[in-house]
């Protein structure tokens, strides 16, 4: 298939051969080149952008063959250019013959609108002459016939050999990451034959809402289910998961069939100002909020905290300096607790302070209130002098302060009294003070943000959530206003950010190595679990829920039998390699006569072998993915504490395969371990499978069954595993791995 544009195409990445992990070689046409040029990057940065995007697309499905699907994880920094990356990938998709592109953009209308409008602008959707290169729609509805006709026309035109490539429009759909919206789009696609029709799906902020949040309850969360159904409706697609915080997709989802096949690490552009810049040792950009100034919704003070007033004055001095240099508008973010009553009070404080200062500065020259306000602003000026070499004189700042105060809009950025979070036209004011919580946690870009005031504690302490609150990351250096930036945090939050910066660089280096060598993410997963330098139980890396259920020990049983025959066969090979290397002998702990009650055992197998098996063993049920990931973390911590630790491994009833009934056609099985049986006189005949485990070490049971569904054959020779960790051992291994503590080694 030819690229979609008539202009000569240039192979952009790599120049001579495929890089490791790439399946095909995208070519650059007008669309990708146009995105790069409109980005206003220099020529070298434009070339790197297109090369990076080509590597990402080239690791997915080849549109020329249009078979199968692939999943990629694309990792960037917070606010470092992820949107520009996937916009360029979208341009390349059209250049290389993808007729359908879907962008799942945020779980709030404001985020979807922000992404939709930016895509339309950066792709120049409405530009050009003649037949359109793009047909773009937001939240298409299955009950509206125009959308069905639109999709059918796009596909039929793409299949029409009489049309030139530039006469075939690419369908670009943006959709909210929300139950009904995703279901409606899926219903549209299910109405038509999409076999061999290549599609590109992009999940922005893939670690949010996409993952199964009900896994512990044995259910699928609605959004997770809808995304899975959408992918099933598109038999040929590349699914790109974009995120700055990949811990959850990597650890929770890595053994799932929807887990990433490949990873790509985005490099930020010149002048990116991220964690390393803000949280360097003794950073002058970070200011501490005293504990007494933290805002609690049930105990709000009458007067604003002094640290809030200090931060606001610093913002206005920076805004006045920007007005003098005519360098653009500036914004401040007040990010208290999630409760809206806190937002309301904080916004009222900011408004009152702004008006009070404006009135004082408008008084006569020797008015005591005016002189007092000027002295307060002098302290803010001295604060910014530390980092901004080109700060205008204080007298110039004082003259410009009334304009800065007068032309600043204070807004509660939430849904209090509104049907949805307000949309902001940044050009309507020279200064903005946004007060919000969850609406600005992730995804939303605060234009020209210079001062952040976050009077809140750690909360649940989830590292990814903490990092996504860093709306102050961005390109302040490149745009020349880093010197007037300040971030106000309480001590624990500052420490957590500093720790996260260290972890983030370790993680990115590891993922970059995997990407450059084209290695499997399973290899990286083992390093992440076992390498002390990448310990996933560190306070900044992973939160309590991953380990909480494993501290109590007990049995971790596989629940899904895996419907896919190839996956089952692969698991059997993994287990057989383990068994071939064991010194198995007949178990004598129970004097059984029946082959169905006779087992083989090896009581001295290195724990490292069990970890290797669990890393290579695949799961289909998301509940298994979650529980066995927690188990792996437990075992890895045990191995760090005792490198010579051993486990007991049982091959259950090898002489009597037996059978089990599954609950439904998804292959779910509640408990395959045989229970206790009793004699006619009431005595115990068989102690039950759970009896066979070591009391002082970890035990693995390997079962193999033929499965039936509704009493009919379902699958043969299906491997199933269950692992027992003694409660005392689990507690000893993980008792110190709690929030706010370093895992011991």
């Amino acid at each position: 298939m030819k690229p979609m544009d008539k202009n000569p195409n240039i192979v952009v990445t790599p120049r001579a051969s495929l890089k490791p992990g790439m399946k095909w070689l995208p070519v650059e046409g007008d669309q990708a080149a146009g995105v790069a040029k409109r980005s206003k990057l220099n020529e070298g940065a434009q070339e790197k952008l297109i090369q990076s995007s080509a590597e990402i697309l080239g690791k997915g499905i080849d549109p020329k063959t249009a078979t199968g699907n692939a999943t990629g994880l694309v990792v960037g920094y917070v606010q470092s250019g992820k949107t520009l990356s996937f916009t360029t990938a979208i341009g390349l998709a059209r250049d290389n013959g993808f007729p359908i592109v879907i962008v799942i953009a945020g779980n709030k209308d404001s985020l979807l609108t922000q992404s939709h409008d930016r895509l339309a602008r950066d792709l120049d959707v409405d530009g050009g002459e003649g037949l359109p290169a793009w047909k773009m729609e937001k939240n298409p509805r299955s009950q509206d016939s125009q959308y069905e006709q639109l999709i059918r026309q796009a596909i039929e035109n793409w299949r029409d050999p009489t049309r030139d490539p530039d006469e075939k429009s690419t369908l670009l759909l943006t959709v909210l990451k929300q139950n009904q919206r995703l279901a409606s789009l899926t219903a549209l696609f299910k109405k038509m034959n999409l076999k061999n029709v290549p599609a590109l799906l992009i999940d922005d902020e893939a670690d949010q809402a996409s993952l199964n949040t009900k896994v512990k309850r044995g259910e699928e969360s609605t959004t997770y289910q809808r995304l899975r159904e959408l992918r099933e409706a598109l038999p040929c697609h590349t699914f790109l998961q974009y995120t700055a915080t990949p811990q959850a997709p990597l650890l929770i989802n890595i053994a799932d069939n929807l887990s990433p096949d490949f990873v790509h690490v985005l490099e930020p552009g010149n002048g990116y100002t991220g964690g390393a810049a803000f949280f360097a040792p003794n950073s002058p950009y970070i200011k501490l909020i005293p504990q007494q100034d933290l805002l609690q919704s049930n105990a709000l003070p009458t007067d604003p905290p002094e640290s809030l007033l200090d931060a606001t004055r610093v913002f206005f001095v920076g805004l006045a300096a920007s007005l003098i240099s005519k360098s653009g508008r500036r914004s401040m973010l007040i990010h208290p607790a999630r409760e809206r009553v806190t937002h309301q009070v904080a916004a009222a404080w900011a408004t009152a302070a702004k008006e009070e200062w404006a009135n004082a500065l408008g008084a006569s020259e020797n008015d005591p209130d005016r002189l007092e306000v000027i002295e307060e602003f002098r302290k803010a000026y001295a604060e910014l002098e530390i980092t901004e070499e080109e700060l205008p004189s204080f007298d110039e700042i004082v003259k410009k302060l009334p304009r800065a105060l007068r032309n600043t809009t204070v807004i509660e950025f939430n849904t209090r009294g509104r049907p949805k979070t307000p949309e902001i036209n940044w050009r309507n004011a020279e200064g903005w003070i946004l007060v919000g919580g969850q609406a600005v946690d992730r995804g939303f870009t605060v234009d020209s943000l210079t001062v952040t005031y976050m009077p809140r504690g750690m909360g649940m302490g989830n590292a990814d959530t903490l990092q996504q609150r860093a709306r102050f990351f961005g390109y302040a250096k490149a745009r020349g206003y880093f010197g007037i930036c300040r971030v106000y945090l309480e001590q624990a939050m500052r420490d957590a950010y500093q720790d996260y910066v260290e972890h983030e660089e370790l993680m990115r280096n590891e993922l970059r190595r995997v990407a450059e060598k084209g290695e499997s993410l399973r290899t990286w997963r083992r390093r992440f679990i076992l390498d002390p330098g990448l310990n996933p139980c560190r306070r900044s890396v992973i939160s309590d829920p991953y380990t909480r259920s494993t501290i109590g020990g007990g049995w971790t049983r596989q629940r899904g039998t895996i419907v896919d025959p190839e996956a089952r066969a692969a698991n059997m090979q993994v287990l057989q390699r383990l068994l071939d290397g064991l010194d198995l002998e007949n178990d004598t702990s129970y004097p059984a006569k029946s082959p169905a009650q006779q087992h083989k055992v090896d009581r001295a197998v290195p724990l490292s072998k069990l970890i290797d098996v669990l890393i290579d063993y695949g799961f289909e049920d998301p509940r298994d993915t979650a529980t066995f990931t927690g188990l792996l973390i437990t075992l890895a911590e045990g191995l760090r504490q005792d490198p010579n630790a051993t486990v007991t491994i049982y091959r259950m009833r090898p002489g009597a395969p037996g059978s089990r009934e599954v609950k439904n056609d998804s292959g779910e099985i509640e408990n395959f371990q045989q229970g206790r049986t009793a004699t006619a006189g009431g005595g115990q005949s068989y102690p039950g499978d759970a009896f066979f485990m070591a009391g002082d070490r970890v035990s693995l049971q390997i079962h193999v069954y033929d499965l039936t569904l509704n009493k009919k054959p379902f699958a043969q020779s299906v491997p199933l595993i269950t692992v027992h960790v003694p409660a005392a051992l689990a507690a000893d291994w993980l008792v110190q791995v709690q929030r706010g503590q370093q895992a011991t080694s």
Side-chain angles (χ1 to χ4, degrees), residues 104-109 112 139-143 175-188 190 208-211 213-214 220-230:
I104 306 160
N107 61 351
K108 299 181 181 69
D109 288 328
L112 176 62
N139 283 333
R141 299 179 298 276
S142 58
Q143 63 270 29
V175 61
L176 196 67
K177 195 183 296 186
Q178 186 263 351
N179 172 24
Q180 288 87 356
R181 297 298 190 184
L182 290 169
S184 188
L185 181 59
T186 300
L188 279 170
K190 285 184 175 181
Q208 184 192 38
S210 303
L211 301 177
T213 58
K214 294 184 178 180
E220 286 188 344
S221 56
T222 305
T223 304
Y224 174 88
Q225 181 182 356
R226 296 294 176 260
L227 281 173
R228 177 177 56 76
E229 292 168 348
L230 175 60

Side-chain angles (χ1 to χ4, degrees), residues 41-42 44-45 48 80 267-273 474-479:
L41 299 172
N42 61 46
K48 289 181 180 179
S80 65
E267 300 302 330
N270 293 332
Y272 175 70
T273 318
Y475 284 89
K477 281 184 179 178
R479 294 166 185 162

